[in-house]
């Protein structure tokens, strides 16, 4: 096991020591959660196979989807103009106007609108899409107090991060609602068209030109400011990646291509690779990973995501701590009918912030971790138990970071990239302690960069630009340019 990671990320207090039984138990977990260099290479080889298969056909429901986004141009930083972006989230909606200035520069102004509490389950779909249109109109009036110039129309990029099927860039059929939404009449329908109808009803000078997801936006926004960016990735509640391929390598769309989309045309691919290894061929699953999958609403799906995404990291440590309590080596004074015991037995009561706070705690006797256990689990802990949990957190966090770079490595291997930037966004990358360093170490192990400083690595993971805002606006600019040229925006329509 890489001792440099252990020394730099598991800062055990000298005054706290683990009993021999706990230390032996910890050693077992350390080996179980470690992903060796050899294992990383084995995973990446299978990852490349699945990327290629997903581009070839949609026949296997267990494979990576590899969805064409119909973003068929690279931003080069010269794009200019005023573009709107709308980002529908689970709690808030954000409207952004992005002023692309050229020379890889932009400015932006944004406003958040809280979604009415009832709107996620309203029985009238017009209420949701009408609310979005109303906010767009209100925002435009606020940004143009002297009135919108006659004849001016604002192109809009709509970030709709729900599962959709896209046959062209300005439409997307909702497959299923997530994030607590349950509005009839939207699943199986074009979300872009529903919003477009409400905009037109109100005669707002907006033209919806692109429907995107946040990962696609992350790549395009970052490439606008940094031409070395070849991939966008999300390490957050979920995981995903996007990159530019070429149409020639996406056989599943060849039969319906319009004449003006050649095989040499770039095609931005939204991988949706949280579903990597759904057949469980290569990922090193522990019994806790197997339990999480079996107990999930969709067993056998999102295998990669369930081992790496922030939504699941807290559940992994909860299961480990619960097992420790039930077998008698943790929380020995905790009564079975206590509030703490009940909370510890509750699924998903912990999220990645629990591990993050434990790992970042460098106080005497791990006092901050003591508060964390009391606040989130109503459990009084000993210093030894807190140190044990801190080290377990580091094992889980390190495994997630090392596995997360497999998607990046697979894309770089497939596309033969040797020097580039990968734009990363998401709460785990931005907030989880040591995640960026651990991911960089994983890339170094895979590509053999021993002895090269992290800042000199040929492939660097860098902090992303605002994907759902700036990315949507840049994609709107690229699509608007294709519209002006009369170029196709997707497959031939039946």
């Amino acid at each position: 096991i890489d001792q440099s990671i252990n020394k730099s990320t598991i800062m055990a207090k000298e005054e706290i020591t683990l009993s021999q039984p706990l230390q032996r138990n910890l050693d077992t977990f350390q080996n179980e959660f470690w992903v060796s260099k050899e294992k990383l290479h084995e995973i990446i080889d299978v990852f490349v196979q699945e990327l290629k298969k997903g581009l070839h056909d949609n026949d296997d429901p267990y494979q990576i989807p590899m969805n064409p986004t119909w973003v068929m141009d690279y931003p080069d930083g010269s794009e200019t103009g005023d573009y709107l972006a709308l980002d529908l989230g689970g709690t808030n909606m954000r409207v952004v106007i992005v002023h692309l200035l050229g020379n890889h520069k932009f400015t932006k102004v944004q406003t958040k609108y809280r979604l009415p509490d009832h709107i996620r389950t309203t029985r009238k779909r017009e209420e949701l899409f009408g609310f979005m249109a109303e906010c767009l109109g209100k925002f435009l009036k606020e940004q143009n107090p002297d009135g919108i110039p006659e004849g001016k129309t604002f192109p809009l990029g709509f970030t709709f991060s729900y599962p959709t099927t896209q046959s062209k860039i300005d439409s997307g059929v909702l497959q299923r609602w997530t994030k607590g939404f349950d509005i009839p009449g939207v699943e199986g329908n074009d979300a872009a068209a529903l919003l477009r109808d409400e905009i037109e009803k109100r005669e707002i000078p907006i033209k919806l030109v692109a429907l995107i997801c946040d990962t696609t936006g992350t790549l395009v926004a970052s490439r606008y400011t940094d031409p070395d960016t070849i991939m966008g990735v999300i390490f957050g509640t979920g995981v995903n990646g996007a990159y530019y391929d070429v149409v020639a390598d996406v056989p599943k769309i060849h039969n319906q291509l319009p004449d003006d989309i050649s095989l040499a045309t770039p095609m931005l691919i939204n991988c949706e690779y949280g579903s990597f290894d759904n057949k469980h061929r290569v990922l090193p699953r522990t019994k806790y990973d197997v339990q999480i999958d079996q107990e999930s609403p969709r067993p056998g799906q999102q295998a990669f995501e369930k081992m790496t995404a922030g939504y699941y990291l807290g559940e992994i440590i909860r299961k480990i701590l619960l097992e420790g309590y039930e077998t008698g080596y943790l929380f020995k004074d905790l009564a079975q009918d206590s509030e703490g015991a009940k909370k510890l037995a509750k699924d998903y009561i912990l999220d990645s912030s629990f591990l993050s706070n434990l790992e970042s705690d460098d106080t005497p006797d791990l006092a901050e971790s003591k508060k964390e256990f009391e606040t989130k689990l109503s459990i009084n802990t000993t210093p030894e138990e807190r140190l044990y949990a801190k080290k377990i957190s580091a094992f889980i966090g390190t495994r997630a970071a090392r596995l997360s770079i497999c998607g990046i490595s697979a894309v770089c291997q497939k596309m033969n990239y040797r020097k580039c930037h990968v734009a990363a966004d998401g709460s785990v990358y931005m907030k989880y302690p040591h995640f960026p360093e651990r991911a960089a170490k994983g890339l170094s192990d895979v590509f053999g960069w021993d002895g090269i400083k992290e800042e000199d690595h040929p492939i660097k993971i860098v902090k992303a630009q605002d994907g759902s805002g700036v990315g949507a606006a840049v994609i709107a600019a690229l699509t608007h340019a294709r519209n002006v040229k009369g170029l196709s925006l997707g497959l031939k329509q039946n």
Side-chain angles (χ1 to χ4, degrees), residues 325 335-339 341-342:
Y325 171 59
Q336 290 186 355
D337 61 350
S338 66
E339 183 183 0
K342 292 175 183 176

PDB file of all heavy atoms in Angstrom, residues 325 335-339 341-342:
ATOM      1  N   TYR A 325     -20.257  -2.191  15.801  1.00  0.00           N
ATOM      2  CA  TYR A 325     -21.114  -2.115  16.983  1.00  0.00           C
ATOM      3  C   TYR A 325     -21.803  -3.460  17.248  1.00  0.00           C
ATOM      4  O   TYR A 325     -21.821  -3.958  18.382  1.00  0.00           O
ATOM      5  CB  TYR A 325     -22.164  -1.016  16.776  1.00  0.00           C
ATOM      6  CG  TYR A 325     -23.253  -0.979  17.824  1.00  0.00           C
ATOM      7  CD1 TYR A 325     -22.944  -0.789  19.175  1.00  0.00           C
ATOM      8  CD2 TYR A 325     -24.584  -1.151  17.456  1.00  0.00           C
ATOM      9  CE1 TYR A 325     -23.945  -0.761  20.138  1.00  0.00           C
ATOM     10  CE2 TYR A 325     -25.597  -1.132  18.407  1.00  0.00           C
ATOM     11  CZ  TYR A 325     -25.277  -0.934  19.743  1.00  0.00           C
ATOM     12  OH  TYR A 325     -26.267  -0.917  20.687  1.00  0.00           O
ATOM     13  N   ALA A 335     -26.456   1.564  24.276  1.00  0.00           N
ATOM     14  CA  ALA A 335     -27.599   0.669  24.484  1.00  0.00           C
ATOM     15  C   ALA A 335     -28.320   0.395  23.167  1.00  0.00           C
ATOM     16  O   ALA A 335     -28.411   1.272  22.301  1.00  0.00           O
ATOM     17  CB  ALA A 335     -28.563   1.282  25.498  1.00  0.00           C
ATOM     18  N   GLN A 336     -28.841  -0.806  23.031  1.00  0.00           N
ATOM     19  CA  GLN A 336     -29.476  -1.203  21.774  1.00  0.00           C
ATOM     20  C   GLN A 336     -30.731  -0.399  21.470  1.00  0.00           C
ATOM     21  O   GLN A 336     -31.099  -0.242  20.304  1.00  0.00           O
ATOM     22  CB  GLN A 336     -29.811  -2.699  21.818  1.00  0.00           C
ATOM     23  CG  GLN A 336     -28.580  -3.587  21.759  1.00  0.00           C
ATOM     24  CD  GLN A 336     -28.938  -5.057  21.649  1.00  0.00           C
ATOM     25  OE1 GLN A 336     -30.113  -5.416  21.714  1.00  0.00           O
ATOM     26  NE2 GLN A 336     -27.931  -5.905  21.483  1.00  0.00           N
ATOM     27  N   ASP A 337     -31.402   0.093  22.503  1.00  0.00           N
ATOM     28  CA  ASP A 337     -32.622   0.863  22.284  1.00  0.00           C
ATOM     29  C   ASP A 337     -32.388   2.367  22.340  1.00  0.00           C
ATOM     30  O   ASP A 337     -33.325   3.159  22.405  1.00  0.00           O
ATOM     31  CB  ASP A 337     -33.696   0.476  23.307  1.00  0.00           C
ATOM     32  CG  ASP A 337     -33.240   0.750  24.740  1.00  0.00           C
ATOM     33  OD1 ASP A 337     -32.041   1.048  24.941  1.00  0.00           O
ATOM     34  OD2 ASP A 337     -34.086   0.654  25.667  1.00  0.00           O
ATOM     35  N   SER A 338     -31.112   2.778  22.285  1.00  0.00           N
ATOM     36  CA  SER A 338     -30.764   4.199  22.365  1.00  0.00           C
ATOM     37  C   SER A 338     -30.995   4.896  21.033  1.00  0.00           C
ATOM     38  O   SER A 338     -31.101   4.253  19.980  1.00  0.00           O
ATOM     39  CB  SER A 338     -29.308   4.368  22.778  1.00  0.00           C
ATOM     40  OG  SER A 338     -28.454   3.864  21.762  1.00  0.00           O
ATOM     41  N   GLU A 339     -31.061   6.224  21.095  1.00  0.00           N
ATOM     42  CA  GLU A 339     -31.213   7.004  19.868  1.00  0.00           C
ATOM     43  C   GLU A 339     -30.030   6.784  18.936  1.00  0.00           C
ATOM     44  O   GLU A 339     -30.178   6.685  17.717  1.00  0.00           O
ATOM     45  CB  GLU A 339     -31.356   8.488  20.211  1.00  0.00           C
ATOM     46  CG  GLU A 339     -31.601   9.369  18.994  1.00  0.00           C
ATOM     47  CD  GLU A 339     -31.675  10.849  19.335  1.00  0.00           C
ATOM     48  OE1 GLU A 339     -31.542  11.197  20.532  1.00  0.00           O
ATOM     49  OE2 GLU A 339     -31.868  11.650  18.398  1.00  0.00           O
ATOM     50  N   ALA A 341     -28.119   4.096  18.622  1.00  0.00           N
ATOM     51  CA  ALA A 341     -28.200   2.791  17.960  1.00  0.00           C
ATOM     52  C   ALA A 341     -29.224   2.824  16.827  1.00  0.00           C
ATOM     53  O   ALA A 341     -29.014   2.239  15.764  1.00  0.00           O
ATOM     54  CB  ALA A 341     -28.563   1.714  18.976  1.00  0.00           C
ATOM     55  N   LYS A 342     -30.325   3.524  17.054  1.00  0.00           N
ATOM     56  CA  LYS A 342     -31.352   3.628  16.016  1.00  0.00           C
ATOM     57  C   LYS A 342     -30.853   4.426  14.822  1.00  0.00           C
ATOM     58  O   LYS A 342     -31.103   4.071  13.666  1.00  0.00           O
ATOM     59  CB  LYS A 342     -32.611   4.276  16.598  1.00  0.00           C
ATOM     60  CG  LYS A 342     -33.327   3.411  17.619  1.00  0.00           C
ATOM     61  CD  LYS A 342     -34.494   4.153  18.257  1.00  0.00           C
ATOM     62  CE  LYS A 342     -35.171   3.298  19.329  1.00  0.00           C
ATOM     63  NZ  LYS A 342     -36.248   4.047  20.022  1.00  0.00           N
TER      64      LYS A 342
END
